[in-house]
Amino acid sequence: MTLLRTLESRIEGLFEGLFGRAFRSHVQPIELARKLVKEMDDHRSVSVSRVYVPNEYAVYLCSKDRAQFAGYEDALRSELAEYLAEHARREGYALLTPPRVLLRTDDDLAVGEFGIATRMAPEDASAEDVAGLPEPPAEEPAHTMVYRAEAPDEPAAAVLTLDGKSRPLTKPEVVLGRSREADIRLADPNVSRKHAAIRRIGSAYWVADLGSTNGTLVNGRRVTRHELEDGDRITLGSTELVFGLPRER
């Protein structure tokens, strides 16, 4: 898994772990991450030997959208800044300072809308100094790009393949075992009644052993909990399943 994808999973998981689908019509953190990267790309400045990009990103949200991040705003800003830094590193961009992300309230924006203003802040303006400044008036500053949150599609499901047949993992947790109550029932006497579970956390999938008698193996190695990658072989008892990540639509 690439670092950018790992960061996306962390940003999605940070939000989904607290609120689930409660705010599906509001601005989503992963949308902010991807639009911040777009703004970085759109505001490149080419010098003789380097390509400079903004190092400060002010995100404007209406009060209702901003309220959904109240419990973890600092963590979100940190994750978004790390996402920008990794994108800059991959693209070979130059920054005056490490990227910093500020959240501001602007009630001229509707629920689901957000604005992003960028600038090249001087090197001597520390993140702490900027974060401690009072918020500017709610009027939208010049050169702020405004986005509307897209209606999210249901994500494509990952699959488990057994004996050539694929089973989509459409629930956040799918239990595997011999029990009639298991989501995917395995007719294998070496499999426990509730043997293991596949859990979706953000955009990542994990397999967790549920205290089985014979254990859970991924690619031949016994695991208690393991993040899955495309093509991983999961062995429960005498049964082997192949995990497949969802394909891009």
Side-chain angles (χ1 to χ4, degrees):
M1 179 179 287
T2 66
L3 181 54
L4 275 180
R5 186 174 169 197
T6 300
L7 290 170
E8 286 191 0
S9 297
R10 279 164 45 186
I11 291 168
E12 287 179 321
L14 185 70
F15 179 72
E16 292 178 2
L18 290 173
F19 296 99
R21 295 170 179 252
F23 292 99
R24 288 296 295 270
S25 62
H26 290 241
V27 174
Q28 306 293 302
I30 195 61
E31 289 180 283
L32 296 178
R34 291 169 179 164
K35 295 304 184 185
L36 284 166
V37 161
K38 180 180 185 300
E39 289 297 304
M40 175 178 278
D41 290 338
D42 288 349
H43 290 86
R44 291 171 293 186
S45 178
V46 180
S47 70
V48 175
S49 59
R50 293 185 177 184
V51 178
Y52 286 93
V53 289
N55 58 335
E56 185 178 289
Y57 298 78
V59 177
Y60 291 82
L61 303 160
C62 74
S63 55
K64 289 184 179 179
D65 271 326
R66 188 173 178 183
Q68 67 182 316
F69 307 134
Y72 67 112
E73 189 171 291
D74 288 345
L76 177 61
R77 288 193 300 104
S78 176
E79 295 283 6
L80 293 173
E82 187 176 352
Y83 190 77
L84 285 167
E86 174 59 15
H87 180 72
R89 186 192 68 78
R90 287 167 61 94
E91 297 297 325
Y93 295 153
L95 291 149
L96 296 179
T97 67
R100 53 181 171 257
V101 177
L102 312 173
L103 295 186
R104 304 298 195 198
T105 301
D106 181 351
D107 281 322
D108 285 340
L109 296 169
V111 170
E113 289 183 342
F114 60 96
I116 299 176
T118 67
R119 74 175 182 127
M120 293 199 186
E123 295 184 60
D124 57 357
S126 71
E128 290 78 10
D129 291 340
V130 174
L133 291 174
E135 292 197 15
E139 62 182 358
E140 193 172 308
H143 308 300
T144 298
M145 181 61 74
V146 176
Y147 296 95
R148 171 166 285 281
E150 298 177 2
D153 295 327
E154 288 298 319
V159 297
L160 284 179
T161 301
L162 172 64
D163 296 331
K165 296 181 180 179
S166 295
R167 296 284 300 272
L169 304 175
T170 56
K171 297 167 61 178
E173 178 175 275
V174 174
V175 175
L176 315 175
R178 285 189 299 108
S179 170
R180 292 178 181 274
E181 298 174 358
D183 298 298
I184 296 180
R185 194 176 179 193
L186 304 175
D188 179 344
N190 296 308
V191 170
S192 298
R193 290 176 57 78
K194 292 187 178 180
H195 194 112
I198 308 293
R199 294 168 179 152
R200 178 169 55 85
I201 302 174
S203 60
Y205 288 80
W206 295 73
V207 62
D209 187 81
L210 299 179
S212 67
T213 301
N214 293 318
T216 298
L217 283 70
V218 176
N219 300 326
R221 296 181 59 186
R222 187 162 182 155
V223 301
T224 301
R225 186 172 181 268
H226 181 82
E227 184 174 1
L228 295 168
E229 296 187 358
D230 193 42
D232 277 348
R233 295 175 291 107
I234 304 168
T235 304
L236 310 180
S238 303
T239 302
E240 183 175 278
L241 307 98
V242 179
F243 173 79
L245 283 170
R247 304 301 177 193
E248 295 291 335
R249 292 181 174 178

